Amino acid sequence: MTGPLLGLYKIFVFWFLIGIKILLVIIMIRIKQRTRVASSLSHTWNNILCFRRHSSVFNILYLKATEILHLKHREREMYTCSPSNTLLLGFPSPTTKNTFKAFRDYRCIALPTGLTCGYKELSGRLSYLYSQRLSLHGKAKHHATFSTLLQSENPTTTNTDEEMDNIGIMGLDPGLEPFKDHFRQRTQQYMEQKSLIEKYEGSLEEFAQGYLKFGFNKEKDGIVYREWAPAAQSPSSWLGPSTVAISGFSVVEHFWVGFYFETEREAQIIGDFNGWDGSNHRMERDQFGVWTIKIPNSGGTSVIPHNSRVKFRFKLGNGTWVDRIPAWIKYATVDPTKFAAPYDGVYWDPSSPERYEFIHPHPPKPKSPRIYEAHVGMSSSESRINSYREFADNILPRIQANNYNTVQLMAVMEHSYYASFGYHVTNFFAVSSRSGTPEDLKYLIDKAHSLGLRVLMDVVHSHASTNVTDGLNGFDVGQSTEESYFHTGDRGYHKLWDSRLFNYANWEVLRFLLSNLKYWLEEFKFDGFRFDGVTSMLYHHHGVNMAFSGDYNEYFNEATDVDAVVYLMLANILIHNILPDATVIAEDVSGMPALGRLVSEGGVGFDYRLAMGIPDKWIDYVKNKKDEEWSVNDIMLTLTNRRYSEKCLSYAESHDQSIVGDKTIAFSLMDREIYSGMSCLTDASPTIERGIALHKMIHFITMALGGDGYLIFMGNEFGHPDWIDFPREGNEWSYEKCRRQWNLVDADHLRYKFMNAFNGAMNSLDDKFSFLASTKQIVSSSNEEDKVIVFERGDLVFVFNFHPENTYDGYKIGCDLPGKYRVALDSDAWEFGGHGRVGHNVDHFTSPEGIPGVPETNFNGRPNSLKVLSPPRTCVAYYKVEEDPDDSGDGELAGITNSGYVSLQGDFEKSASEDLSEPEAVEIEMEDASDD
């Protein structure tokens, strides 16, 4: 066929195909009408919804604009939802590469309000399709403020531009106005994700009960085990053009709705109970990749005994069988007699009396947290791993005696590599078995609650161990990210940490992580969390090679991982819904604005953020600067450089400054002499004098000026020598430096007791005056020549003299309130290893300065002043005596002890439930910086 005939033939074929496609569309519309589901054809065709192509789902490339093909795992049903109920199956051939390229990077779902759903069935087996990067269209029927939308139990998923303009955080920080679109987009995504969860799971709390469905769960007549493992299958076959059945109606043959038909899938549960032979315990897989088996009781008892080993066995695409520890396992153990032996999952279901029952309620939330960061395993004074029960009986009383109100436990989640400090988690629902059983950990937490101590857990949701044999990474066998807990490729791997990175947009990953939080709160009665590695979560670059300067453009750009931000918003909402008084802390070095603001305001929802720049500053000073080079202005600016609308936890050192290759502050200050010069039986050397004095000053000014709460790592309160070095090949697997030498602080003839006593007195001072909870913070003087910092926090006046030699007698300092002042805490007191140079029974009377209400006429901007004695390398806090004409003049305090701090005797009772939601105005003689 040549010439004109060929041209006519091509035209005929072209228009014939067009006609066929139009005819098919008409047929589909008629079929949809027969489903009797309400339709609305008012939507436009402007938007295209698509899903990433992978080996077990339909290659859906075109859907009508605001319609949804939402295949949701719930009671093994598949939902197809659409407001118009008009599904367009105008699919191109899968060989049309250009078309595929245009859509391969998008995964979206639109969810208009008033959506109705009908049950549909699709031939073949479809893997679970989850919602990602949601896009909303349409308008809400009635107006509401942004805050109301976010606080609503069932917020509408569509809203007007006017509503989204009312973002509360913008009123607090006008500097965020240029980034309003970013806040709108991430908040919109949060609202959509939460709405979908509520729609298909009932509520966020119900969604987070995955541990009651997945893993091993005991029922009356047996044990049900479920595992999400869509990759457990053999190679799939592409069937090409196929018939699609919808609601029982045959559509048409030879539609390009190509799908993969999975030819074989197989998985088993194995363990001690069946001799590790799973041939009689094969599991069934549903269309969403969830494997299930119910093992009936035998003779009224469970076939799987308590504390017996179990594993999940499944077949790879090449026919190879692999064994993995169940992802939701609640206990995992290893044979300690075998070097580098693999872990085994353990079925944990103790009966009475082995099952621990909590006795004591959660302690009330303190005005400000004073946190003792602890690692149970290394808390023994012996060269071994300590147990939960030993920690509870021996260490908790020490923490209480030092007047801390909160314990933060590290390394709780199971981690096969001990030297990872607990940060390379392998089993997220399992208690670390090195220190005992789940019941032992419950005993520890209940004991802490009985002592009035709240317990926070160091939770690691920023990454996971790459360990394939023992950990969650074993479920990643090369499948797509939609069927994995992690991202694929470079996005799924943290090169510096050698760890895997979660896909926070995946529905089952959200279920897994949110359920993990609820599990620890509900089953173990934790009082909150410290989220590790938040900076890595917030940005695609993970903070690597980033020097955050405080420029807002660094926080809100294409590098921000919005999926992770949305997860953290959901996590904080969930935690506070379960436990309203929970304390949730973010470990973030970037200083991202709004991280510590309420979700209802457009924030991420954390209660506190760690002021991570402070310890870096102290380490720099004690290691690299001579005394005369210490700048009190630089110290003051570092301590006050934070966002005052967001609460910070200050600390001079944590576990990070204690690990091998680094030194603690005490070790840096005193170096080798810390081993030989700490005896009270001889005079202290200048190095020891200086070291102890500065150790007290550094921790106290960090606490008093650096934030709204305080944290210290186990042992640093008394200047523990050495670094921390976990057993490893490089130290011949020694535990010598992986312990805490409590005998040093207990020895009455050693000077460690002085630093310990002062640390406890600092906490007692806050117990009495609640200065950490006060937002009244005024730095009245930072004198470089004198090397003296004077500031007020709450009702106290603090004087820090960093000069190595100069004593200032009659040193004039400013204050707010007139009256009589006395010493509340003195680092130079005898009981703190000082020289007792400051008189504790001396009354300091104020003098008025200038014209009241005219700061420029006052002394250092303060309306009153008093004169004090300030010896070198000392710090003193003064309180105003409340005078009563009917008493002896000592005021409301019972008296001042010889140790130099306020006695807590009397009828004082702190109110831990006081409402601090209405902060006072912050006053500070400096520019309010944007980040910490």
Side-chain angles (χ1 to χ4, degrees):
M1 186 180 298
T2 59
L5 290 178
L6 179 59
L8 290 173
Y9 176 79
K10 290 181 177 180
I11 292 173
F12 171 80
V13 170
F14 174 79
W15 286 107
F16 176 80
L17 293 176
I18 292 296
I20 289 295
K21 183 162 288 192
I22 293 173
L23 179 61
L24 293 176
V25 170
I26 295 173
I27 293 174
M28 285 303 303
I29 292 175
R30 290 185 176 277
I31 291 174
K32 281 296 178 176
Q33 290 173 343
R34 296 181 63 179
T35 62
R36 295 184 180 180
V37 183
S39 63
S40 173
L41 302 178
S42 60
H43 300 286
T44 62
W45 294 62
N46 297 337
N47 302 289
I48 298 174
L49 305 176
C50 46
F51 295 86
R52 184 184 297 275
R53 176 184 183 183
H54 59 85
S55 63
S56 59
V57 302
F58 281 95
N59 294 301
I60 302 176
L61 296 181
Y62 291 107
L63 289 177
K64 191 173 178 180
T66 57
E67 298 175 354
I68 302 171
L69 179 62
H70 186 66
L71 307 179
K72 175 67 191 63
H73 175 230
R74 188 179 184 185
E75 304 300 328
R76 299 190 182 183
E77 293 172 343
M78 200 170 295
Y79 294 11
T80 303
C81 306
S82 169
S84 64
N85 296 287
T86 303
L87 177 66
L88 177 64
L89 293 180
F91 298 92
S93 165
T95 59
T96 310
K97 296 182 179 179
N98 291 336
T99 304
F100 215 5
K101 181 179 180 181
F103 297 99
R104 65 185 179 187
D105 293 326
Y106 295 86
R107 307 179 301 281
C108 15
I109 282 181
L111 187 61
T113 55
L115 182 69
T116 57
C117 301
Y119 293 95
K120 312 294 177 191
E121 294 179 357
L122 301 178
S123 63
R125 294 197 178 195
L126 292 181
S127 289
Y128 169 64
L129 294 179
Y130 60 95
S131 59
Q132 297 190 63
R133 294 184 175 83
L134 308 177
S135 299
L136 299 181
H137 308 283
K139 295 186 177 182
K141 294 182 178 180
H142 46 77
H143 296 278
T145 65
F146 179 87
S147 177
T148 302
L149 287 169
L150 291 183
Q151 291 174 337
S152 171
E153 286 294 322
N154 295 291
T156 178
T157 54
T158 59
N159 39 78
T160 65
D161 291 341
E162 179 183 348
E163 291 165 346
M164 291 303 294
D165 282 340
N166 296 323
I167 301 177
I169 191 66
M170 299 298 166
L172 294 171
D173 186 354
L176 295 173
E177 189 68 27
F179 308 96
K180 179 179 289 188
D181 287 344
H182 175 92
F183 279 87
R184 291 177 63 180
Q185 187 268 334
R186 83 178 191 187
T187 307
Q188 188 102 328
Q189 182 169 330
Y190 158 78
M191 293 168 63
E192 293 171 342
Q193 186 68 73
K194 186 169 181 287
S195 179
L196 283 173
I197 289 172
E198 291 169 345
K199 183 176 184 63
Y200 296 110
E201 301 287 347
S203 68
L204 192 59
E205 289 75 14
E206 291 180 78
F207 183 56
Q209 291 185 150
Y211 60 92
L212 298 179
K213 179 177 181 180
F214 288 86
F216 292 90
N217 285 284
K218 190 175 183 179
E219 298 183 353
K220 290 183 179 180
D221 56 347
I223 297 173
V224 176
Y225 169 61
R226 291 187 181 91
E227 195 74 67
W228 180 65
Q233 60 188 46
S234 291
S236 305
S237 301
W238 170 257
L239 296 187
S242 303
T243 300
V244 177
I246 299 182
S247 296
F249 296 98
S250 179
V251 182
V252 75
E253 290 283 353
H254 304 297
F255 239 110
W256 281 107
V257 187
F259 62 91
Y260 289 88
F261 182 80
E262 296 159 357
T263 57
E264 183 182 359
R265 305 178 180 89
E266 196 165 357
Q268 305 169 353
I269 180 67
I270 57 173
D272 292 329
F273 75 99
N274 61 10
W276 300 92
D277 179 4
S279 58
N280 293 325
H281 293 93
R282 299 177 185 272
M283 303 179 70
E284 295 182 357
R285 182 188 192 273
D286 67 13
Q287 64 267 44
F288 309 107
V290 176
W291 296 84
T292 305
I293 185 173
K294 183 170 183 178
I295 304 175
N297 292 338
S298 177
T301 60
S302 297
V303 172
I304 305 179
H306 161 63
N307 205 18
S308 64
R309 297 176 299 167
V310 290
K311 281 195 174 181
F312 175 64
R313 173 174 289 174
F314 64 94
K315 185 183 290 186
L316 299 179
N318 60 9
T320 303
W321 288 91
V322 294
D323 298 345
R324 297 291 184 256
I325 295 178
W328 299 73
I329 200 70
K330 296 180 177 66
Y331 195 44
T333 60
V334 65
D335 186 347
T337 64
K338 296 181 180 178
F339 179 75
Y343 274 69
D344 290 302
V346 173
Y347 174 66
W348 192 257
D349 182 32
S351 56
S352 297
E354 185 179 354
R355 182 183 296 275
Y356 188 84
E357 299 293 340
F358 283 90
I359 301 172
H360 304 282
H362 293 276
K365 188 173 185 178
K367 294 179 180 179
S368 294
R370 300 189 301 272
I371 300 174
Y372 194 87
E373 185 184 37
H375 186 288
V376 172
M378 58 168 289
S379 64
S380 173
S381 59
E382 302 173 14
S383 296
R384 61 176 177 83
I385 296 175
N386 210 14
S387 72
Y388 296 122
R389 289 184 176 267
E390 289 173 309
F391 182 92
D393 294 337
N394 302 326
I395 310 302
L396 286 179
R398 291 179 179 272
I399 300 171
Q400 183 199 37
N402 255 23
N403 301 302
Y404 286 91
N405 56 35
T406 306
V407 181
Q408 179 181 299
L409 293 182
M410 303 174 60
V412 172
M413 306 159 87
E414 188 60 88
H415 49 291
S416 60
Y417 183 45
Y418 189 43
S420 73
F421 234 136
Y423 292 118
H424 277 211
V425 176
T426 44
N427 312 109
F428 285 77
F429 288 82
V431 167
S432 180
S433 58
R434 291 182 183 86
S435 295
T437 69
E439 311 312 304
D440 294 333
L441 178 60
K442 292 176 183 178
Y443 171 81
L444 185 162
I445 295 171
D446 202 26
K447 180 67 173 290
H449 287 172
S450 74
L451 298 174
L453 295 169
R454 287 161 62 87
V455 186
L456 307 182
M457 176 178 165
D458 204 346
V459 69
V460 185
H461 283 182
S462 50
H463 61 129
S465 171
T466 54
N467 186 318
V468 171
T469 304
D470 303 327
L472 196 63
N473 194 34
F475 287 84
D476 190 339
V477 290
Q479 70 270 34
S480 65
T481 186
E482 288 86 352
E483 295 186 336
S484 173
Y485 287 99
F486 310 107
H487 285 293
T488 56
D490 290 341
R491 191 179 178 189
Y493 179 70
H494 199 299
K495 295 180 181 179
L496 288 184
W497 294 349
D498 183 31
S499 56
R500 296 303 308 274
L501 300 175
F502 287 105
N503 177 3
Y504 300 104
N506 190 317
W507 188 279
E508 291 303 324
V509 173
L510 288 178
R511 187 200 305 277
F512 183 83
L513 296 178
L514 292 173
S515 297
N516 191 236
L517 297 174
K518 186 172 184 181
Y519 172 74
W520 293 111
L521 289 175
E522 297 279 14
E523 298 296 318
F524 291 87
K525 308 302 180 185
F526 277 100
D527 300 282
F529 300 99
R530 171 214 183 248
F531 275 74
D532 177 70
V534 170
T535 304
S536 177
M537 299 174 69
L538 294 176
Y539 310 99
H540 294 300
H541 53 62
H542 311 301
V544 177
N545 297 323
M546 285 292 298
F548 291 95
S549 65
D551 184 343
Y552 283 9
N553 289 285
E554 297 170 342
Y555 307 119
F556 310 114
N557 54 45
E558 66 280 356
T560 306
D561 190 338
V562 177
D563 290 339
V565 173
V566 168
Y567 162 68
L568 291 173
M569 295 167 74
L570 290 168
N572 278 301
I573 287 293
L574 173 70
I575 293 167
H576 289 98
N577 283 351
I578 297 171
L579 186 64
D581 282 344
T583 299
V584 191
I585 304 164
E587 188 215 23
D588 170 44
V589 72
S590 73
M592 174 182 274
L595 191 68
R597 297 302 302 187
L598 296 173
V599 173
S600 60
E601 299 172 341
V604 183
F606 285 99
D607 298 305
Y608 295 88
R609 69 196 312 155
L610 290 176
M612 300 184 69
I614 295 176
D616 292 340
K617 177 62 67 175
W618 287 126
I619 292 298
D620 177 49
Y621 267 60
V622 299
K623 282 187 175 181
N624 305 319
K625 295 184 183 295
K626 299 177 182 179
D627 287 356
E628 59 268 22
E629 296 174 339
W630 284 39
S631 168
V632 293
N633 276 326
D634 185 37
I635 292 171
M636 181 271 294
L637 288 170
T638 299
L639 292 171
T640 55
N641 180 23
R642 62 183 183 271
R643 297 178 61 83
Y644 285 89
S645 60
E646 303 178 37
K647 292 183 179 181
C648 286
L649 274 175
S650 64
Y651 63 105
E653 52 186 339
S654 68
H655 69 273
D656 287 328
Q657 287 73 42
S658 303
I659 59 176
V660 63
D662 209 336
K663 290 183 178 181
T664 63
I665 288 176
F667 201 13
S668 295
L669 289 169
M670 293 176 273
D671 205 30
R672 295 180 181 179
E673 291 194 38
I674 201 170
Y675 298 116
S676 59
M678 297 298 284
S679 174
C680 297
L681 303 179
T682 60
D683 291 337
S685 69
T687 297
I688 297 298
E689 283 267 16
R690 173 181 180 270
I692 292 177
L694 288 177
H695 186 274
K696 291 181 290 186
M697 294 184 71
I698 287 170
H699 284 87
F700 193 29
I701 195 171
T702 298
M703 179 190 199
L705 193 58
D708 309 281
Y710 178 69
L711 177 144
I712 199 167
F713 178 66
M714 178 176 64
N716 289 346
E717 71 275 14
F718 64 85
H720 196 287
D722 294 332
W723 52 84
I724 298 169
D725 192 6
F726 283 86
R728 55 188 174 87
E729 186 176 3
N731 64 15
E732 298 182 349
W733 306 103
S734 170
Y735 286 85
E736 177 62 27
K737 296 190 184 302
C738 191
R739 61 192 180 109
R740 296 286 88 175
Q741 299 181 54
W742 303 110
N743 57 298
L744 297 177
V745 69
D746 292 340
D748 193 56
H749 70 284
L750 297 180
R751 290 187 168 90
Y752 294 101
K753 65 179 182 180
F754 297 136
M755 292 178 280
N756 185 68
F758 185 75
N759 191 264
M762 288 164 40
N763 290 323
S764 294
L765 188 70
D766 182 56
D767 254 340
K768 182 63 183 179
F769 293 99
S770 301
F771 61 88
L772 279 173
S774 174
T775 55
K776 178 186 177 183
Q777 178 172 302
I778 304 165
V779 179
S780 60
S781 176
S782 181
N783 191 306
E784 284 290 6
E785 183 177 352
D786 296 342
K787 294 200 178 300
V788 174
I789 301 174
V790 180
F791 63 92
E792 296 162 60
R793 186 74 188 270
D795 294 330
L796 298 177
V797 181
F798 297 82
V799 182
F800 283 79
N801 181 359
F802 282 93
H803 202 287
E805 298 175 352
N806 290 357
T807 295
Y808 303 106
D809 193 3
Y811 196 76
K812 188 176 181 180
I813 63 174
C815 65
D816 183 19
L817 301 175
K820 180 172 67 176
Y821 286 79
R822 284 186 179 176
V823 172
L825 180 61
D826 171 22
S827 68
D828 196 46
W830 291 108
E831 287 198 6
F832 303 142
H835 299 283
R837 289 167 286 190
V838 178
H840 298 154
N841 294 323
V842 176
D843 292 333
H844 302 269
F845 292 94
T846 61
S847 299
E849 295 289 343
I851 303 171
V854 185
E856 58 269 21
T857 67
N858 301 153
F859 178 74
N860 289 338
R862 309 310 293 145
N864 295 281
S865 68
L866 63 149
K867 293 183 178 181
V868 300
L869 173 67
S870 181
R873 293 197 185 115
T874 62
C875 49
V876 181
Y878 296 89
Y879 73 97
K880 182 180 179 296
V881 177
E882 297 296 334
E883 298 184 85
D884 188 333
D886 295 331
D887 63 22
S888 62
D890 286 340
E892 65 175 357
L893 300 177
I896 309 297
T897 68
N898 291 330
S899 65
Y901 61 91
V902 177
S903 169
L904 295 182
Q905 297 175 356
D907 59 356
F908 170 77
E909 181 180 355
K910 67 178 181 179
S911 174
S913 61
E914 180 178 341
D915 184 9
L916 301 172
S917 59
E918 296 296 331
E920 304 166 23
V922 173
E923 297 181 52
I924 182 167
E925 300 295 325
M926 57 168 282
E927 293 184 2
D928 186 3
S930 60
D931 73 306
D932 52 47

